[in-house]
Amino acid sequence: MNVDALVNKAKRMCDSKGARFTPIREKVFRLLASTESGVGAYDLLEQLKVTESSAKPATIYRALDFLAEQGFIHKIESTNAFMLCHHFESIHPVQLLICDQCGHVAELHSSVLSHELSALALENGFSVSSQTIEAHGICKNCQS
C-alpha cells in the first residue's frame, strides 16, 4: 500500500474514533511510512525540522504517543525506535525481525507463536494483554 493510501486509511480511522490527525501527526506518520527500518525519535525530529523548523522533542514525542495510541506504529524496545504498522486496522500479535547490519525491520503476524506464548503464560498463571516479540539477526540482503 502506498503512503497516501495509508494516510487516508489512518485519517478515516481517526475520524471514526473522533481523534484528531493533525498536520504534524500526519507528517510524522509519513516519515515513518517512508522507511522500512526503525527510526529513533531524534532522527524523526531532524527530518521533521526540514518542514517544521520550530519542532522540539516534545513535538515528536506527542505525535509518537498519539500514533502509538491509535495502533499506527510499533515501538522497537530493543533499539528504542519506531516503525509504521501497515496492518493498523486490527489488533494483532507482532513479531519483528530486526537486521543488526542494515536496520531493516520485517513485521510478522504468527498466530501460532501468539497462541503458544499465551498458553505457556496461562500455565504460569499469567495473562498476556499484548505481545511484541523482537528477534535480532541478519536479513537476507545483508547475508548476500
Side-chain angles (χ1 to χ4, degrees):
M1 187 175 291
N2 71 33
V3 174
D4 288 330
L6 287 167
V7 168
N8 288 333
K9 185 167 75 167
K11 285 180 178 179
R12 285 191 308 275
M13 287 185 66
C14 285
D15 287 345
S16 72
K17 297 177 183 178
R20 291 185 53 231
F21 199 66
T22 65
I24 293 289
R25 291 169 178 171
E26 180 178 339
K27 287 179 181 182
V28 174
F29 183 98
R30 285 181 179 277
L31 291 171
L32 287 165
S34 68
T35 183
E36 291 187 358
S37 61
V39 183
Y42 282 91
D43 291 331
L44 284 168
L45 177 59
E46 291 308 310
Q47 293 175 42
L48 183 63
K49 281 185 174 184
V50 170
T51 59
E52 300 293 327
S53 60
S54 63
K56 304 281 187 250
T59 308
I60 281 293
Y61 284 113
R62 281 192 301 268
L64 290 170
D65 285 346
F66 172 84
L67 296 174
E69 287 169 11
Q70 301 307 312
F72 298 154
I73 63 173
H74 297 297
K75 182 171 184 189
I76 307 167
E77 295 291 340
S78 62
T79 61
N80 199 26
F82 301 86
M83 66 174 285
L84 187 74
C85 174
H86 292 264
H87 310 92
F88 54 77
E89 65 278 354
S90 64
I91 297 172
H92 55 276
V94 179
Q95 300 89 34
L96 302 176
L97 303 178
I98 305 160
C99 181
D100 292 327
Q101 286 189 359
C102 70
H104 180 274
V105 181
E107 180 180 350
L108 307 176
H109 306 116
S110 170
S111 58
V112 172
L113 285 174
S114 175
H115 292 308
E116 181 69 16
L117 179 62
S118 292
L120 289 169
L122 281 174
E123 287 176 15
N124 287 282
F126 188 86
S127 176
V128 175
S129 59
S130 67
Q131 174 201 124
T132 301
I133 297 173
E134 299 179 19
H136 285 263
I138 309 297
C139 72
K140 66 181 176 183
N141 291 335
C142 290
Q143 290 178 29
S144 302

